[in-house]
Amino acid sequence: MKILVSNDDGYQSPGLIALADALRTIGQVMVVAPDRDRSGASNSLTLDVPLRASRMPNGFLRVNGTPTDCVHLALTGLAEIDPDIVVAGINHGPNLGDDVLYSGTVAAATEGRFLGLPAMAISIASHSPQHLETAARVAVQLVKRLRDQPLEASIILNVNVPDCPYAQLQGFVATRLGNRHKAEPLVQAEDPRGQCIYWIGAAGPEQDAGVGTDFDAVRNGFVSITPLQVDLTRYAALTTLGSWLVNCCEKPEN
Amino acid sequence: MKILVSNDDGYQSPGLIALADALRTIGQVMVVAPDRDRSGASNSLTLDVPLRASRMPNGFLRVNGTPTDCVHLALTGLAEIDPDIVVAGINHGPNLGDDVLYSGTVAAATEGRFLGLPAMAISIASHSPQHLETAARVAVQLVKRLRDQPLEASIILNVNVPDCPYAQLQGFVATRLGNRHKAEPLVQAEDPRGQCIYWIGAAGPEQDAGVGTDFDAVRNGFVSITPLQVDLTRYAALTTLGSWLVNCCEKPEN
Amino acid sequence: MKILVSNDDGYQSPGLIALADALRTIGQVMVVAPDRDRSGASNSLTLDVPLRASRMPNGFLRVNGTPTDCVHLALTGLAEIDPDIVVAGINHGPNLGDDVLYSGTVAAATEGRFLGLPAMAISIASHSPQHLETAARVAVQLVKRLRDQPLEASIILNVNVPDCPYAQLQGFVATRLGNRHKAEPLVQAEDPRGQCIYWIGAAGPEQDAGVGTDFDAVRNGFVSITPLQVDLTRYAALTTLGSWLVNCCEKPEN
Amino acid sequence: MKILVSNDDGYQSPGLIALADALRTIGQVMVVAPDRDRSGASNSLTLDVPLRASRMPNGFLRVNGTPTDCVHLALTGLAEIDPDIVVAGINHGPNLGDDVLYSGTVAAATEGRFLGLPAMAISIASHSPQHLETAARVAVQLVKRLRDQPLEASIILNVNVPDCPYAQLQGFVATRLGNRHKAEPLVQAEDPRGQCIYWIGAAGPEQDAGVGTDFDAVRNGFVSITPLQVDLTRYAALTTLGSWLVNCCEKPEN
């Protein structure tokens, strides 16, 4: 099995190294990762400047781009292997609820959608993780399962693992994304030259974090696995929208 | 009605100016837009550096950030008004199918999801548009309709308008997102110093562009309106995933 | 006379516009300027990514690079004219003493050193100038004089103009660069995510600002004109250094 | 002796590591270096965004800024030691003649000018050096000599070392900067989206590379040591300029 690994914390992240090491026990691993922290990069693609790749002493390919750039380049010609699956992570810090919109880790996995297997983003629920080996072990098991018993190819699995010893995990559950309240207000400040500056405020507190959500699972010690879709169409609204559009607009003949 | 307007082509884009001018006929307009072209920015948020805003002679606020940054700042404290809706565009070039994953225009609209009305991203299907007035007129009509006959608040409408005179539009249709084949291979080149560089290749050709898709609608002269969802959970897969996880993994007791 | 104009405050700076307008009275003017504020860019050249140029409605060429990039591109192929001289400014804020090491304005002038005339950097001694017309008038007179009565071609003139009505200027003086004390301490802070950040502190106070310096001239209402050299060799130290090197090092034979 | 070490190739550069290792034999070494390649950064200072520093496993401090930022922060509060001297390098590739205007290595040394000893920039004359140990040995000898037999404090020594075994060096010579012809024309190209792009062309060939220049020394196998000055005033031109200014300009009374 050929596994393409990336992340958004950058090629030196302990989480990435732990993931690559663990996956090497079950397949051929190729790592293509950003040259620096690109958290919050979402699916951004670099179109206006060219990218550069360099091989690190440990075999990783380092790219001066976003997570999406890394996976995109790997799948469109940079990879010496033809990967079967993309696994992104281990992100330091959870990617729960609305976080997935901004996450570069989830974006890296999403970019693997043209391959014949689901892609996976895996995060550990602490910004200073103590138990990366737990998340790495979870990753290995899920990838083996995906190989032996495939799910739909276009699914992205968003996996969040509590930061605890493996033996303390409460189990694995399929979850839906919860969501957060509106973000905290921006933080206004002054730079040393007297100019006004703004920092993006903290993410909002949990709003929908009840039973069945990813927030709830992780809080209770479970590995949360949320199936994500690439197709953002809100199918349930198509009929309503169709009716709503009738007579909505001036006739083009006007 | 208070309307927050943004885009991803930057504050000087003719599409943005046309949109703001048109919407001023039906409400109070506030524009907060990136200081330069940020196409492809997706939902990326700038967390590592502070942002700066400056008021342009035409009243627009220019921010040295992404489209998502602009709307985020506006809604968390920068806006002097409390907007009712976010409208992003008019993007020069279509945002169809998989494009929405990368689009900064759609991302700007998405960031408006905490307000009480749907948000809207509007694009014109040409990179050198001749008929911005058509798309602007469409935007005005849709915003009026949303005001008078609201849809679900969490919907994002992704609108693509053919680049033709209004009278030549074939109508308005609700569509689902089509999708594209895998992107073209990366473009390898050499810089003048002999170093190897890579450009991200062109987007792939249409794969699923049949009846009912946004591709099909625009190709046939219709305004395509796709309802998007912010919640990326693939609900239809939750049950299957739940079963799949049974015995998938080593017992945590191990 | 063909005059290439650039700056480091960006193509929209009032100082740049005032300079270009004034110089048009005595020659053909071409403006190539950065797309945004690049103060502090010094002589930095962009070698790792390609640059883009776009023509603004007012005829200026905007480049997404440093001041040095702008002038370099103009002189190596971008300019439709073959300029006789480079004039950079009008910088908002003085460039006195050690400032010239960091100044993008001075760097833009320096990059004109291969032409057959001196180059000039011009700054007005206020960050919110009220009398740009004074500095513009000074620029015109100096360029005319350089044309009619040339100085050595490799000289860079660093001109600083008090921010006052022309009639209040006390005169024009040739000055040497003064210098500043060591800069203020760095400013340590915390970002909203609790991470430690550092801002470069303010420039130090004047140390050598006595009679004959640029600091002194401007403080007393004079236009300060300092001849700068491109050749950084400290000729006066060559002999001493030669002696110092004798027996300084282990014999290569060792 | 407390030695502050920096460079412009980034904290992972073999040249930097070789330099730090060698200098540790004669003093206490502190390394503060850019997080990535910043060649061509000249004296640029980062004023608009805050900087971040992180301690690498090998003890180096990595800063997301320019070489000048690194040394500036170290000297204004970041350094736990109070350095006696700044040594920058070992740059991969020579810094000869006009190169010093653009060099981040020379800029890092320049930023050490407020200390009580000369600063030094050291480069090896190959972009893929085979004999870093030669340059490292040269650095150690020069620093020891500076300590034991000081030169003027405000001198910057710009050192270029041939890429050969130490035993093959022909000696050490004090040189002046040579200079280059105008740079090669810009390189125009098209990106994969059909947009016009420009690359800065190669540096020009040597123009003044005769006896006594740094070019000549290195070409003949010598270590070239050029004393640089921080004060860019062209003193020799002050009198001429003074005369030239008489009656140059309209009387301010006008």
Side-chain angles (χ1 to χ4, degrees), chain A residues 5 14-25 27 29-31 60 89-90 136:
Chain A
V5 172
L16 177 71
I17 295 166
L19 179 63
D21 286 348
L23 290 175
R24 251 183 231 111
T25 62
V29 170
M30 178 191 188
V31 179
F60 289 10
I90 301 167

Side-chain angles (χ1 to χ4, degrees), chain D residues 79-124:
Chain D
E80 59 266 32
I81 60 172
D82 203 12
D84 299 306
I85 188 170
V86 174
V87 185
I90 301 167
N91 193 63
H92 293 208
N95 276 308
L96 299 166
D98 306 6
D99 300 345
V100 304
L101 287 174
Y102 308 106
S103 167
T105 310
V106 174
T110 303
E111 200 63 18
R113 70 189 180 283
F114 292 108
L115 302 171
L117 275 180
M120 186 192 306
I122 185 160
S123 306
I124 191 161

Side-chain angles (χ1 to χ4, degrees), chain A residues 79-231:
Chain A
E80 58 267 31
I81 60 171
D82 203 12
D84 299 306
I85 188 170
V86 174
V87 185
I90 301 167
N91 193 64
H92 292 207
N95 275 308
L96 299 166
D98 306 5
D99 300 345
V100 303
L101 288 173
Y102 309 106
S103 167
T105 310
V106 174
T110 302
E111 201 62 20
R113 69 189 182 283
F114 291 109
L115 302 171
L117 275 181
M120 188 191 305
I122 185 160
S123 306
I124 191 162
S126 162
H127 290 279
S128 303
Q130 304 301 312
H131 296 282
L132 284 170
E133 78 287 354
T134 300
R137 189 166 161 193
V138 166
V140 167
Q141 293 175 56
L142 289 173
V143 171
K144 277 165 70 178
R145 183 76 163 193
L146 283 170
R147 177 194 63 193
D148 299 336
Q149 196 172 323
L151 289 166
E152 302 165 70
S154 61
I155 276 187
I156 314 293
L157 297 185
N158 183 45
V159 182
N160 282 275
V161 183
D163 186 24
C164 66
Y166 191 88
Q168 290 175 21
L169 292 177
Q170 299 303 307
F172 291 65
V173 288
T175 55
R176 64 180 173 83
L177 296 172
N179 61 56
R180 297 183 182 277
H181 282 279
K182 195 173 153 179
E184 298 293 320
L186 58 80
V187 177
Q188 186 171 343
E190 231 182 44
D191 74 16
R193 276 137 208 100
Q195 304 291 312
C196 174
I197 55 175
Y198 303 101
W199 292 93
I200 299 286
E206 302 157 12
Q207 174 175 47
D208 168 12
V211 174
T213 65
D214 49 358
F215 286 106
D216 185 64
V218 169
R219 192 192 303 120
N220 288 300
F222 288 84
V223 175
S224 163
I225 303 168
T226 309
L228 302 182
Q229 56 195 347
V230 174
D231 180 352

